Amino acid sequence: MPAVADTMLRSFLGHDVDRVFCVAGESYLPLLDALYDCAEIDVVGCRHEGSAGFAALADAKITRRAGVCLVSRAPGAANAAIAVHAAAEDATPLVVFVGDVPSRELDRETFQSGRPLGDRAKAVWTLHDPASTGDTVRRAFRVAESGTPGPVVVFVPEDVFDGDGADPPSTRVEPGRVVPGDRELDTVRGLLGSAHRPLLLAGSTLDTPRGRALLHGFARRHGVAVVTSNKNQHLLDNRHPCYAGHLHNATGPGQLAEFDRADLVLAIGTRLGQTTTRQSRFPRGPEPGQPLIHVHPDAARIGGFHQVTAGFAMDPADFLAQFAETAVPHPSRDEWCLRLHRIEEERARWIPPPHPDVVTVGDIAAALDELTAGAVTVVVDSGTFTSWTYRYLRFSGEGRLVGIDSSSMGFGPGAALAVAAREPSVPTVVVIGDGGFGMNGGELATLCERRLPVVFVVSDNGSLGTIRLHQQRRYPDRGIATDLANPDFRLLAQAHGALGLSAETPAEVRTCLAKALEHPGPSLVAVRTSREYLTPATVPR
């Protein structure tokens, strides 16, 4: 076995890699051959590099380690660029290894040469010397996972994969933990002790079993209302009395106004990005309307867009652990938490549209909530339909929402592949539009090959609904390029070997979903949804 491929493989194992996603290519055949004999790493061959990248990104969300994607040369790298962009937008660690043209052909306009990745990656390197193999892999994982996580791309020329003289394999580096001193903690205790309406904004770096447990305990013990950052709705059981809602691109002004009444905001584990803060609407930027405590692993993210009262560059779970043994009794907070929870609870109460035969994605979300009680993993693709899911599906402590900040269409199929492989005991449901499914629906074949229990719910309204909505607002009755001529998705699923179902009424939605959730392998429910009611805001009440 060539030394570079062997060292790279052993370095993968040293960084706890147990699954990689790829589209096979001739430019990294030695690495594929090394993986052939490695029982510790599951190699998932995908139908498209974009899906492979999305799958690796979703895998990172579940494991909290860098996902790994292997692609070949410029065309494969170009296809994977969408996942690199999404990982950067989403602050998710991803390492993409690209088998490149031979070294002698670099920068010579040769067949399939070029570097289509880079402007959104944290780093882009080329492994020129076999003696740097292990060190390059170590640096790639360290940079991808440190600070604000993100994507790293490593190009490896074809001839380097065949090289000898590689350095020793590398292993994961565990950085020391940062713990605030008593003086800093006293500042937080003072602010927390005097607050009557504290609100904790929980972000993605709390999405570990330990982080979620500490968040639950902190909210209960200190009587703090909790709102979650964009696409992290599952961080706290949505039926918990301290759960106050989810900040996303459809959070209404009335609910934001209620959050504004907080007299202390603790932003724990969130970057305070544009979608979560609704373009700095809450917390207001750059000057918040209340004291702001910001905890995030990357010091560069603290104080960048919001003035903070106190900032801590550390693991957010470690921060919450400092308050696990103390409590600040404050009876007035019960009323505050209850008020915010009731508002969210009322918003989540499903009221069908006035026309009983019209089907919306709200029918899908309400049926999922009823059938699973929130103990479900839901992968959301891109589209205005996601706002129905956020509002009417309430996640339990066992549930999970998987999505990406960039809202890239076609994320769902690859992400479902990764999620179902990690958590087969919890149902995985992909809520996706007909446009998004049309982009990467080929991964249904991969899911059928592996017999993974994934339910696709395709909202079929024959339209790119989000763009259609914006067109209608700006240029009424001048829609163009948003109509879709769709196949029969039910028959398409059956052709792949999946269970294919279709629904055209609210009652059929529930019946089909129940049947799909019981099916042991992949299934697809095509739901004929309304073009008129694209979001909850478009339904007359």
PDB file of all heavy atoms in Angstrom, residues 396-428:
ATOM      1  N   SER A 396     -39.584  16.994  21.053  1.00  0.00           N
ATOM      2  CA  SER A 396     -39.395  16.509  22.416  1.00  0.00           C
ATOM      3  C   SER A 396     -37.905  16.451  22.710  1.00  0.00           C
ATOM      4  O   SER A 396     -37.062  16.797  21.863  1.00  0.00           O
ATOM      5  CB  SER A 396     -40.005  15.113  22.569  1.00  0.00           C
ATOM      6  OG  SER A 396     -39.217  14.157  21.871  1.00  0.00           O
ATOM      7  N   GLY A 397     -37.561  15.959  23.895  1.00  0.00           N
ATOM      8  CA  GLY A 397     -36.154  15.812  24.247  1.00  0.00           C
ATOM      9  C   GLY A 397     -35.427  14.809  23.389  1.00  0.00           C
ATOM     10  O   GLY A 397     -34.197  14.822  23.310  1.00  0.00           O
ATOM     11  N   GLU A 398     -36.181  13.913  22.716  1.00  0.00           N
ATOM     12  CA  GLU A 398     -35.561  12.913  21.847  1.00  0.00           C
ATOM     13  C   GLU A 398     -35.557  13.346  20.386  1.00  0.00           C
ATOM     14  O   GLU A 398     -35.029  12.633  19.528  1.00  0.00           O
ATOM     15  CB  GLU A 398     -36.305  11.572  21.955  1.00  0.00           C
ATOM     16  CG  GLU A 398     -36.156  10.856  23.286  1.00  0.00           C
ATOM     17  CD  GLU A 398     -36.998  11.497  24.379  1.00  0.00           C
ATOM     18  OE1 GLU A 398     -38.175  11.827  24.105  1.00  0.00           O
ATOM     19  OE2 GLU A 398     -36.474  11.700  25.489  1.00  0.00           O
ATOM     20  N   GLY A 399     -36.157  14.481  20.082  1.00  0.00           N
ATOM     21  CA  GLY A 399     -36.267  14.919  18.695  1.00  0.00           C
ATOM     22  C   GLY A 399     -35.100  15.787  18.278  1.00  0.00           C
ATOM     23  O   GLY A 399     -34.296  16.243  19.086  1.00  0.00           O
ATOM     24  N   ARG A 400     -35.021  16.019  16.969  1.00  0.00           N
ATOM     25  CA  ARG A 400     -33.925  16.831  16.433  1.00  0.00           C
ATOM     26  C   ARG A 400     -34.364  17.479  15.121  1.00  0.00           C
ATOM     27  O   ARG A 400     -35.028  16.849  14.299  1.00  0.00           O
ATOM     28  CB  ARG A 400     -32.683  15.968  16.184  1.00  0.00           C
ATOM     29  CG  ARG A 400     -31.511  16.727  15.575  1.00  0.00           C
ATOM     30  CD  ARG A 400     -30.387  15.781  15.205  1.00  0.00           C
ATOM     31  NE  ARG A 400     -29.742  15.226  16.375  1.00  0.00           N
ATOM     32  CZ  ARG A 400     -28.744  15.810  17.039  1.00  0.00           C
ATOM     33  NH1 ARG A 400     -28.283  16.977  16.637  1.00  0.00           N
ATOM     34  NH2 ARG A 400     -28.202  15.235  18.087  1.00  0.00           N
ATOM     35  N   LEU A 401     -33.990  18.745  14.961  1.00  0.00           N
ATOM     36  CA  LEU A 401     -34.171  19.455  13.703  1.00  0.00           C
ATOM     37  C   LEU A 401     -32.808  19.586  13.042  1.00  0.00           C
ATOM     38  O   LEU A 401     -31.843  20.025  13.675  1.00  0.00           O
ATOM     39  CB  LEU A 401     -34.766  20.840  13.954  1.00  0.00           C
ATOM     40  CG  LEU A 401     -34.926  21.746  12.731  1.00  0.00           C
ATOM     41  CD1 LEU A 401     -35.995  21.219  11.794  1.00  0.00           C
ATOM     42  CD2 LEU A 401     -35.267  23.179  13.163  1.00  0.00           C
ATOM     43  N   VAL A 402     -32.702  19.201  11.782  1.00  0.00           N
ATOM     44  CA  VAL A 402     -31.440  19.304  11.049  1.00  0.00           C
ATOM     45  C   VAL A 402     -31.663  20.178   9.820  1.00  0.00           C
ATOM     46  O   VAL A 402     -32.470  19.857   8.949  1.00  0.00           O
ATOM     47  CB  VAL A 402     -30.914  17.923  10.616  1.00  0.00           C
ATOM     48  CG1 VAL A 402     -29.594  18.070   9.850  1.00  0.00           C
ATOM     49  CG2 VAL A 402     -30.714  17.018  11.822  1.00  0.00           C
ATOM     50  N   GLY A 403     -30.976  21.292   9.790  1.00  0.00           N
ATOM     51  CA  GLY A 403     -31.046  22.199   8.652  1.00  0.00           C
ATOM     52  C   GLY A 403     -29.770  23.007   8.592  1.00  0.00           C
ATOM     53  O   GLY A 403     -28.889  22.869   9.440  1.00  0.00           O
ATOM     54  N   ILE A 404     -29.647  23.860   7.591  1.00  0.00           N
ATOM     55  CA  ILE A 404     -28.441  24.673   7.446  1.00  0.00           C
ATOM     56  C   ILE A 404     -28.816  26.136   7.261  1.00  0.00           C
ATOM     57  O   ILE A 404     -29.840  26.458   6.672  1.00  0.00           O
ATOM     58  CB  ILE A 404     -27.560  24.200   6.277  1.00  0.00           C
ATOM     59  CG1 ILE A 404     -28.378  23.989   5.000  1.00  0.00           C
ATOM     60  CG2 ILE A 404     -26.802  22.945   6.651  1.00  0.00           C
ATOM     61  CD1 ILE A 404     -27.548  23.621   3.791  1.00  0.00           C
ATOM     62  N   ASP A 405     -27.964  27.003   7.779  1.00  0.00           N
ATOM     63  CA  ASP A 405     -28.231  28.435   7.727  1.00  0.00           C
ATOM     64  C   ASP A 405     -28.318  28.959   6.301  1.00  0.00           C
ATOM     65  O   ASP A 405     -29.046  29.919   6.027  1.00  0.00           O
ATOM     66  CB  ASP A 405     -27.142  29.204   8.482  1.00  0.00           C
ATOM     67  CG  ASP A 405     -27.404  29.258   9.979  1.00  0.00           C
ATOM     68  OD1 ASP A 405     -28.352  28.595  10.431  1.00  0.00           O
ATOM     69  OD2 ASP A 405     -26.648  29.943  10.692  1.00  0.00           O
ATOM     70  N   SER A 406     -27.556  28.372   5.384  1.00  0.00           N
ATOM     71  CA  SER A 406     -27.545  28.883   4.012  1.00  0.00           C
ATOM     72  C   SER A 406     -28.824  28.562   3.260  1.00  0.00           C
ATOM     73  O   SER A 406     -29.067  29.121   2.185  1.00  0.00           O
ATOM     74  CB  SER A 406     -26.363  28.294   3.235  1.00  0.00           C
ATOM     75  OG  SER A 406     -26.539  26.901   3.031  1.00  0.00           O
ATOM     76  N   SER A 407     -29.642  27.636   3.816  1.00  0.00           N
ATOM     77  CA  SER A 407     -30.902  27.234   3.167  1.00  0.00           C
ATOM     78  C   SER A 407     -30.687  26.822   1.709  1.00  0.00           C
ATOM     79  O   SER A 407     -31.462  27.176   0.826  1.00  0.00           O
ATOM     80  CB  SER A 407     -31.942  28.357   3.253  1.00  0.00           C
ATOM     81  OG  SER A 407     -32.308  28.593   4.592  1.00  0.00           O
ATOM     82  N   SER A 408     -29.640  26.083   1.460  1.00  0.00           N
ATOM     83  CA  SER A 408     -29.359  25.605   0.099  1.00  0.00           C
ATOM     84  C   SER A 408     -30.366  24.531  -0.299  1.00  0.00           C
ATOM     85  O   SER A 408     -30.573  23.564   0.437  1.00  0.00           O
ATOM     86  CB  SER A 408     -27.943  25.016   0.025  1.00  0.00           C
ATOM     87  OG  SER A 408     -26.970  25.963   0.390  1.00  0.00           O
ATOM     88  N   MET A 409     -30.975  24.675  -1.460  1.00  0.00           N
ATOM     89  CA  MET A 409     -31.883  23.646  -1.952  1.00  0.00           C
ATOM     90  C   MET A 409     -31.105  22.364  -2.237  1.00  0.00           C
ATOM     91  O   MET A 409     -29.962  22.396  -2.678  1.00  0.00           O
ATOM     92  CB  MET A 409     -32.591  24.129  -3.212  1.00  0.00           C
ATOM     93  CG  MET A 409     -33.598  25.231  -2.967  1.00  0.00           C
ATOM     94  SD  MET A 409     -34.350  25.834  -4.496  1.00  0.00           S
ATOM     95  CE  MET A 409     -35.253  24.381  -5.020  1.00  0.00           C
ATOM     96  N   GLY A 410     -31.751  21.226  -1.983  1.00  0.00           N
ATOM     97  CA  GLY A 410     -31.122  19.933  -2.231  1.00  0.00           C
ATOM     98  C   GLY A 410     -30.346  19.384  -1.062  1.00  0.00           C
ATOM     99  O   GLY A 410     -29.738  18.312  -1.165  1.00  0.00           O
ATOM    100  N   PHE A 411     -30.355  20.086   0.065  1.00  0.00           N
ATOM    101  CA  PHE A 411     -29.650  19.615   1.264  1.00  0.00           C
ATOM    102  C   PHE A 411     -30.266  18.328   1.815  1.00  0.00           C
ATOM    103  O   PHE A 411     -29.568  17.437   2.299  1.00  0.00           O
ATOM    104  CB  PHE A 411     -29.692  20.715   2.331  1.00  0.00           C
ATOM    105  CG  PHE A 411     -29.243  20.284   3.708  1.00  0.00           C
ATOM    106  CD1 PHE A 411     -27.911  20.048   3.979  1.00  0.00           C
ATOM    107  CD2 PHE A 411     -30.169  20.133   4.741  1.00  0.00           C
ATOM    108  CE1 PHE A 411     -27.493  19.664   5.249  1.00  0.00           C
ATOM    109  CE2 PHE A 411     -29.770  19.752   6.011  1.00  0.00           C
ATOM    110  CZ  PHE A 411     -28.423  19.515   6.267  1.00  0.00           C
ATOM    111  N   GLY A 412     -31.581  18.187   1.728  1.00  0.00           N
ATOM    112  CA  GLY A 412     -32.295  17.140   2.440  1.00  0.00           C
ATOM    113  C   GLY A 412     -31.878  15.714   2.154  1.00  0.00           C
ATOM    114  O   GLY A 412     -31.630  14.942   3.092  1.00  0.00           O
ATOM    115  N   PRO A 413     -31.781  15.265   0.894  1.00  0.00           N
ATOM    116  CA  PRO A 413     -31.483  13.854   0.647  1.00  0.00           C
ATOM    117  C   PRO A 413     -30.149  13.387   1.206  1.00  0.00           C
ATOM    118  O   PRO A 413     -30.068  12.344   1.858  1.00  0.00           O
ATOM    119  CB  PRO A 413     -31.523  13.768  -0.884  1.00  0.00           C
ATOM    120  CG  PRO A 413     -32.478  14.843  -1.298  1.00  0.00           C
ATOM    121  CD  PRO A 413     -32.201  15.967  -0.337  1.00  0.00           C
ATOM    122  N   GLY A 414     -29.068  14.147   0.956  1.00  0.00           N
ATOM    123  CA  GLY A 414     -27.769  13.757   1.491  1.00  0.00           C
ATOM    124  C   GLY A 414     -27.730  13.805   3.004  1.00  0.00           C
ATOM    125  O   GLY A 414     -27.169  12.922   3.659  1.00  0.00           O
ATOM    126  N   ALA A 415     -28.356  14.849   3.579  1.00  0.00           N
ATOM    127  CA  ALA A 415     -28.386  14.975   5.039  1.00  0.00           C
ATOM    128  C   ALA A 415     -29.120  13.798   5.668  1.00  0.00           C
ATOM    129  O   ALA A 415     -28.688  13.254   6.699  1.00  0.00           O
ATOM    130  CB  ALA A 415     -29.053  16.284   5.431  1.00  0.00           C
ATOM    131  N   ALA A 416     -30.233  13.397   5.054  1.00  0.00           N
ATOM    132  CA  ALA A 416     -30.989  12.266   5.591  1.00  0.00           C
ATOM    133  C   ALA A 416     -30.171  10.992   5.583  1.00  0.00           C
ATOM    134  O   ALA A 416     -30.265  10.162   6.498  1.00  0.00           O
ATOM    135  CB  ALA A 416     -32.263  12.071   4.770  1.00  0.00           C
ATOM    136  N   LEU A 417     -29.363  10.820   4.555  1.00  0.00           N
ATOM    137  CA  LEU A 417     -28.492   9.657   4.471  1.00  0.00           C
ATOM    138  C   LEU A 417     -27.556   9.587   5.670  1.00  0.00           C
ATOM    139  O   LEU A 417     -27.385   8.532   6.300  1.00  0.00           O
ATOM    140  CB  LEU A 417     -27.695   9.738   3.161  1.00  0.00           C
ATOM    141  CG  LEU A 417     -26.638   8.689   2.878  1.00  0.00           C
ATOM    142  CD1 LEU A 417     -27.255   7.309   2.781  1.00  0.00           C
ATOM    143  CD2 LEU A 417     -25.900   9.042   1.580  1.00  0.00           C
ATOM    144  N   ALA A 418     -26.968  10.718   6.028  1.00  0.00           N
ATOM    145  CA  ALA A 418     -26.044  10.752   7.166  1.00  0.00           C
ATOM    146  C   ALA A 418     -26.768  10.573   8.491  1.00  0.00           C
ATOM    147  O   ALA A 418     -26.329   9.817   9.365  1.00  0.00           O
ATOM    148  CB  ALA A 418     -25.279  12.076   7.171  1.00  0.00           C
ATOM    149  N   VAL A 419     -27.892  11.258   8.645  1.00  0.00           N
ATOM    150  CA  VAL A 419     -28.610  11.238   9.919  1.00  0.00           C
ATOM    151  C   VAL A 419     -29.163   9.849  10.210  1.00  0.00           C
ATOM    152  O   VAL A 419     -29.029   9.326  11.323  1.00  0.00           O
ATOM    153  CB  VAL A 419     -29.742  12.281   9.908  1.00  0.00           C
ATOM    154  CG1 VAL A 419     -30.638  12.120  11.127  1.00  0.00           C
ATOM    155  CG2 VAL A 419     -29.157  13.691   9.866  1.00  0.00           C
ATOM    156  N   ALA A 420     -29.796   9.221   9.218  1.00  0.00           N
ATOM    157  CA  ALA A 420     -30.391   7.908   9.441  1.00  0.00           C
ATOM    158  C   ALA A 420     -29.331   6.849   9.722  1.00  0.00           C
ATOM    159  O   ALA A 420     -29.565   5.906  10.485  1.00  0.00           O
ATOM    160  CB  ALA A 420     -31.223   7.502   8.224  1.00  0.00           C
ATOM    161  N   ALA A 421     -28.149   7.000   9.128  1.00  0.00           N
ATOM    162  CA  ALA A 421     -27.071   6.052   9.397  1.00  0.00           C
ATOM    163  C   ALA A 421     -26.577   6.168  10.833  1.00  0.00           C
ATOM    164  O   ALA A 421     -26.155   5.178  11.433  1.00  0.00           O
ATOM    165  CB  ALA A 421     -25.920   6.286   8.420  1.00  0.00           C
ATOM    166  N   ARG A 422     -26.644   7.375  11.403  1.00  0.00           N
ATOM    167  CA  ARG A 422     -26.194   7.587  12.787  1.00  0.00           C
ATOM    168  C   ARG A 422     -27.258   7.220  13.804  1.00  0.00           C
ATOM    169  O   ARG A 422     -26.944   6.721  14.890  1.00  0.00           O
ATOM    170  CB  ARG A 422     -25.814   9.052  12.985  1.00  0.00           C
ATOM    171  CG  ARG A 422     -24.543   9.484  12.333  1.00  0.00           C
ATOM    172  CD  ARG A 422     -23.323   8.952  13.031  1.00  0.00           C
ATOM    173  NE  ARG A 422     -22.110   9.244  12.283  1.00  0.00           N
ATOM    174  CZ  ARG A 422     -20.937   8.683  12.529  1.00  0.00           C
ATOM    175  NH1 ARG A 422     -20.836   7.777  13.495  1.00  0.00           N
ATOM    176  NH2 ARG A 422     -19.885   8.993  11.811  1.00  0.00           N
ATOM    177  N   GLU A 423     -28.511   7.517  13.488  1.00  0.00           N
ATOM    178  CA  GLU A 423     -29.584   7.370  14.481  1.00  0.00           C
ATOM    179  C   GLU A 423     -30.754   6.580  13.895  1.00  0.00           C
ATOM    180  O   GLU A 423     -31.859   7.113  13.722  1.00  0.00           O
ATOM    181  CB  GLU A 423     -30.042   8.753  14.946  1.00  0.00           C
ATOM    182  CG  GLU A 423     -28.936   9.573  15.601  1.00  0.00           C
ATOM    183  CD  GLU A 423     -29.388  10.959  16.028  1.00  0.00           C
ATOM    184  OE1 GLU A 423     -30.434  11.429  15.529  1.00  0.00           O
ATOM    185  OE2 GLU A 423     -28.696  11.569  16.855  1.00  0.00           O
ATOM    186  N   PRO A 424     -30.547   5.288  13.569  1.00  0.00           N
ATOM    187  CA  PRO A 424     -31.624   4.521  12.925  1.00  0.00           C
ATOM    188  C   PRO A 424     -32.801   4.215  13.836  1.00  0.00           C
ATOM    189  O   PRO A 424     -33.876   3.863  13.360  1.00  0.00           O
ATOM    190  CB  PRO A 424     -30.910   3.227  12.508  1.00  0.00           C
ATOM    191  CG  PRO A 424     -29.749   3.110  13.450  1.00  0.00           C
ATOM    192  CD  PRO A 424     -29.307   4.514  13.731  1.00  0.00           C
ATOM    193  N   SER A 425     -32.627   4.372  15.162  1.00  0.00           N
ATOM    194  CA  SER A 425     -33.719   4.036  16.078  1.00  0.00           C
ATOM    195  C   SER A 425     -34.779   5.127  16.169  1.00  0.00           C
ATOM    196  O   SER A 425     -35.893   4.886  16.641  1.00  0.00           O
ATOM    197  CB  SER A 425     -33.160   3.752  17.480  1.00  0.00           C
ATOM    198  OG  SER A 425     -32.515   4.898  18.001  1.00  0.00           O
ATOM    199  N   VAL A 426     -34.444   6.349  15.750  1.00  0.00           N
ATOM    200  CA  VAL A 426     -35.394   7.473  15.760  1.00  0.00           C
ATOM    201  C   VAL A 426     -35.823   7.734  14.327  1.00  0.00           C
ATOM    202  O   VAL A 426     -34.985   7.790  13.427  1.00  0.00           O
ATOM    203  CB  VAL A 426     -34.750   8.740  16.367  1.00  0.00           C
ATOM    204  CG1 VAL A 426     -35.714   9.906  16.330  1.00  0.00           C
ATOM    205  CG2 VAL A 426     -34.279   8.471  17.782  1.00  0.00           C
ATOM    206  N   PRO A 427     -37.124   7.885  14.066  1.00  0.00           N
ATOM    207  CA  PRO A 427     -37.569   8.130  12.690  1.00  0.00           C
ATOM    208  C   PRO A 427     -36.912   9.376  12.101  1.00  0.00           C
ATOM    209  O   PRO A 427     -36.765  10.397  12.769  1.00  0.00           O
ATOM    210  CB  PRO A 427     -39.080   8.326  12.824  1.00  0.00           C
ATOM    211  CG  PRO A 427     -39.443   7.731  14.141  1.00  0.00           C
ATOM    212  CD  PRO A 427     -38.240   7.864  15.018  1.00  0.00           C
ATOM    213  N   THR A 428     -36.479   9.284  10.850  1.00  0.00           N
ATOM    214  CA  THR A 428     -35.922  10.426  10.126  1.00  0.00           C
ATOM    215  C   THR A 428     -36.893  10.816   9.025  1.00  0.00           C
ATOM    216  O   THR A 428     -37.223   9.996   8.162  1.00  0.00           O
ATOM    217  CB  THR A 428     -34.551  10.093   9.513  1.00  0.00           C
ATOM    218  OG1 THR A 428     -33.626   9.788  10.558  1.00  0.00           O
ATOM    219  CG2 THR A 428     -34.017  11.274   8.712  1.00  0.00           C
TER     220      THR A 428
END
